[in-house]
Amino acid sequence: MKQQTLLIIGTGYIASALGKVLETTGCQVKYLSRVKNRVGFKNVYYWNPSQNIIDLDALKNVSTIINLSGDNIAAKRWTKSRKEVLVKSRIEPLYFLHKIIKAHKFQHIKHLISTSAIGYYNHHASSSQAFNENDKQGQDFLSQLCVQWEQAAQRLQTLEINVIILRLGIVISTRGGALQKMVSLAKKGLLLPLGTGQQIVSWICIKDLIQLYLYLITNQVQNGIYNAVADNCTNLEFTKQINRKYSFINLNIKIPTWFLKIILGELSCMLTSGYMVNNTKIQQAGFNFEIKDLNVNLI
């Protein structure tokens, strides 16, 4: 990879894993964080978009920005105030970034790789329809959140910045995210299929996701939106694979949809509905997934 300076917005598990790999290629990696003196990272610069605060040194010499900002979508019930936080944490950083780049004429910034989610599409309890990037958005909260998220990123195209948006499926990594929580439950014998168990899970291994970022950074991939998923399976199959490695429980027992609605409210729809997603577009752009089959070695 050609040596360059990259800026990662965020310091979560994906940002950490990606940054470590980028550093091995000889690139200089910087991070923007709302947390001062972020432990475990170097070259961290503080910003607070809500207060119009940013250390401008973070943007010095940067050619590519990788945006991984946003509060955890599944951390709490989707109350009205929680929804506002989820939207603000995704939209505000991009609007502020646009404002700063425009005001200071940072013309050396040429690329933005931003994040969205397959929640953009209409979810189904089970489906044989594979969504592609041209399909319409859904009408629920998660879909509308993704629409606003993507529109905020696309505004940077007005600054002659190449904008690529990845609609992420579930990222398989035992170091963070949904899988880490599922593994923890499996070790206690508490991981059960959700709802019918037939809802589709579209996933990507973190190793492939990192390679996808590297591919986008090093190749002239066209402006646009790309589904970042390697394969699909049912929630029952996904749960079975995890339990096969960590536990031995009766998968004929499932957590009913009505119970999840009581416990989680509107958030439960994200767990009991599925998204079968097509990855043809990113493959046509030249990227090849290495890990296409879910198996116990991944988890």
Side-chain angles (χ1 to χ4, degrees), residues 106-156:
F106 287 127
Q107 296 179 349
H108 50 79
I109 299 174
K110 300 298 184 183
H111 305 280
L112 169 69
I113 305 173
S114 198
T115 311
S116 182
I118 59 174
Y120 174 94
Y121 303 108
N122 251 321
H123 58 74
H124 300 283
S126 61
S127 175
S128 58
Q129 176 188 3
F131 292 111
N132 64 54
E133 292 82 352
N134 294 323
D135 283 317
K136 293 182 179 180
Q137 72 271 16
Q139 299 301 316
D140 63 358
F141 166 70
L142 189 55
S143 298
Q144 296 308 308
L145 170 61
C146 290
V147 170
Q148 295 178 67
W149 200 0
E150 293 178 8
Q151 289 175 343
Q154 290 168 331
R155 290 183 75 246
L156 276 82

Side-chain angles (χ1 to χ4, degrees), residues 166-178:
L166 296 180
R167 288 180 181 156
L168 297 183
I170 290 181
V171 179
I172 294 185
S173 171
T174 55
R175 296 185 179 183

Side-chain angles (χ1 to χ4, degrees), residues 63-104:
S63 59
T64 299
I65 297 174
I66 301 166
N67 175 39
L68 293 167
S69 61
D71 272 35
N72 186 342
I73 196 76
K76 301 177 183 178
R77 288 175 67 102
W78 290 349
T79 62
K80 181 179 179 180
S81 60
R82 180 59 183 168
K83 287 181 177 180
E84 290 173 355
V85 169
L86 294 173
V87 173
K88 186 176 180 180
S89 67
R90 286 162 172 76
I91 308 308
E92 192 176 63
L94 288 163
Y95 273 78
F96 184 53
L97 193 63
H98 180 278
K99 174 183 175 181
I100 292 298
I101 293 173
K102 182 177 181 180
H104 293 272

